């Protein structure tokens, strides 16, 4: 008999999905294109950079056929900025996710706009000079599918799979880090502790009934997987307590109403007995 699976993704499943993130590599050997389910990989020609899935980049790194360029948000200065923002500037909210990438407009040379920034710009976005970079007007970018871990990604923002990507790069490509791996691990550990404490303290908003809500904007995939059971149990407990309180309130109102009716009949009977 198979055991029931827990709701949502497990931590191992989230780490597996994070290996589909695109990262930047510097090849050390020539490599032709490879046909994958997501399409063909670019040709690797040293020393030109290329973007590959994380799992393939780690494989080439283990074979000493490529080096991985760490994303900008993994630099110590960027991590220190994020920690300062989450502890000093806005200690109650999580860091905002990375903004959508920008792309130059072929119809307006010298200008660029963010993808999916406004519906009226969709026609301009599709008019890029390179036909291979044309955007589908019906496609909407969301954090899990943004190129947030490539070398060109902006600093100061945590991507959706930031914790999984950082752990994989520090474990298998520690020598490619922009600083000693111990320094980066220390900053990441501080950031994990800050965000975990913020996650626990933010659940106090669910103690109220009615309009209580909790925003998870900027929370990573691994953080959601780790706290899903806790948050789901907390919400279910609050729901049960609210339902019990509502049932008790209705019972008290019903008893008060019945008591008022019985009390009124008793007064009328006593008046009749007294002959008034």
């Amino acid at each position: 008999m198979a055991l029931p699976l827990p709701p949502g993704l497990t931590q191992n499943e989230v780490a597996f999905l994070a290996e589909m993130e695109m990262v930047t590599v510097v090849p050390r050997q020539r490599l032709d294109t490879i046909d994958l389910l997501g399409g063909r990989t670019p040709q690797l020609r040293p020393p030109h950079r290329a973007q590959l899935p994380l799992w393939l980049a780690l494989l080439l790194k283990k074979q000493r056929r490529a080096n991985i360029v760490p994303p900008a948000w993994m630099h110590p200065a960027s991590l220190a900025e994020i920690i300062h923002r989450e502890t000093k500037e806005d200690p109650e909210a999580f860091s905002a996710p990375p903004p959508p990438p920008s792309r130059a407009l072929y119809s307006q040379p010298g200008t660029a706009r963010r993808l999916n920034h406004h519906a009226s710009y969709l026609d301009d976005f599709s008019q890029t000079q390179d036909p291979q970079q044309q955007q589908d007007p019906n496609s909407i970018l969301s954090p899990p599918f943004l190129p947030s871990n490539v070398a060109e990604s902006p600093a100061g923002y945590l991507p959706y799979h930031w914790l999984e990507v950082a752990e994989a790069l520090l474990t298998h490509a520690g020598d490619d880090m922009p600083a000693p791996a111990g320094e980066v691990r220390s900053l990441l550990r501080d950031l994990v502790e800050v965000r975990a404490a913020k996650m626990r303290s933010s659940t106090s908003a669910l103690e109220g009934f009615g309009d209580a809500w909790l925003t998870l904007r900027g929370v990573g995939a691994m953080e959601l997987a780790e706290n899903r059971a806790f948050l789901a149990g907390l919400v279910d407990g609050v729901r049960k307590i609210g339902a019990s309180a509502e049932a008790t309130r209705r019972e008290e109102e019903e008893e008060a109403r019945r008591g008022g009716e019985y009390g009124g009949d008793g007064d009328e009977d006593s008046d009749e007995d007294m002959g008034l």
Side-chain angles (χ1 to χ4, degrees):
M1 178 179 179
L3 297 177
L5 296 177
L9 298 176
T10 62
Q11 300 180 21
N12 293 334
E13 293 171 342
V14 172
F16 175 78
L17 293 177
E19 295 183 356
M20 302 301 296
E21 288 280 340
M22 301 297 293
V23 295
T24 304
V25 301
V26 178
R28 304 173 65 178
Q29 297 179 0
R30 299 172 65 93
L31 183 65
D32 294 333
T33 60
I34 303 175
D35 293 330
L36 302 176
L37 292 177
R40 287 188 174 184
T41 62
Q43 293 183 353
L44 302 184
R45 296 293 182 266
H48 301 287
R49 294 183 175 184
Q51 295 183 8
L52 298 176
L54 178 60
W55 66 268
L56 182 57
L58 294 177
L59 178 61
L60 296 178
K61 175 63 179 180
K62 294 178 182 179
Q63 297 176 353
R64 299 182 180 180
R65 304 175 66 180
N67 292 332
I68 301 178
V69 181
W73 63 266
M74 286 194 65
H75 289 245
S78 177
L79 293 175
E81 176 187 354
I82 296 174
I83 294 175
H84 175 76
R85 186 189 309 139
E86 295 213 358
T87 55
K88 303 298 182 181
E89 297 181 4
D90 197 352
E92 296 183 358
F94 296 92
S95 298
S102 301
R103 179 174 297 170
L105 300 180
Y106 179 64
S107 59
Q108 301 177 9
T111 60
R113 293 196 179 105
R114 292 179 178 176
L115 302 184
N116 301 118
H117 181 66
H118 195 274
S120 62
Y121 299 151
L122 289 177
D123 295 337
D124 293 335
F125 290 150
S126 60
Q127 297 176 0
T128 57
Q129 186 173 3
D130 187 0
Q132 296 181 355
Q133 295 181 355
Q134 290 184 356
Q135 182 193 7
D136 183 6
N138 297 323
S139 64
I140 301 297
L141 294 177
S142 57
F145 305 101
L146 293 177
S148 306
N149 294 289
V150 297
E152 296 79 10
S153 59
Y157 299 94
L158 292 178
Y160 187 63
H161 291 288
W162 68 275
L163 189 57
E164 308 93 288
V165 173
E167 183 64 26
L169 293 181
L170 288 173
T171 302
H172 303 287
D175 55 335
D176 292 337
M177 293 295 103
E183 179 182 357
V184 179
R185 285 186 181 276
S186 178
L187 292 172
L188 287 173
R189 189 181 304 110
D190 296 340
L191 184 58
V192 169
E193 293 177 356
V194 169
R195 292 171 67 88
K198 189 176 298 185
M199 177 70 75
R200 291 191 297 268
S201 61
S202 62
T203 55
S204 59
L206 299 177
E207 294 179 357
F209 305 107
D211 297 334
W213 58 279
L214 174 65
T215 176
L216 297 177
R217 183 174 184 266
V219 181
M222 185 61 71
E223 295 171 304
L224 291 176
E226 292 176 351
N227 295 278
R228 178 177 285 107
F230 169 72
L231 293 177
L234 178 63
V235 171
D236 186 62
V238 171
R239 181 186 61 79
K240 291 180 179 180
I241 294 175
S244 177
E246 180 67 17
T248 303
R249 184 184 63 81
R250 291 181 179 180
E251 292 178 358
E252 292 178 352
E253 291 179 353
E254 184 68 19
E255 291 179 358
R257 185 179 62 81
R258 292 178 180 178
E261 293 177 356
Y262 296 154
D265 295 342
D267 293 340
E268 293 178 358
D269 294 342
S270 61
D271 293 341
E272 293 178 356
D273 295 340
M274 296 176 63
L276 296 178

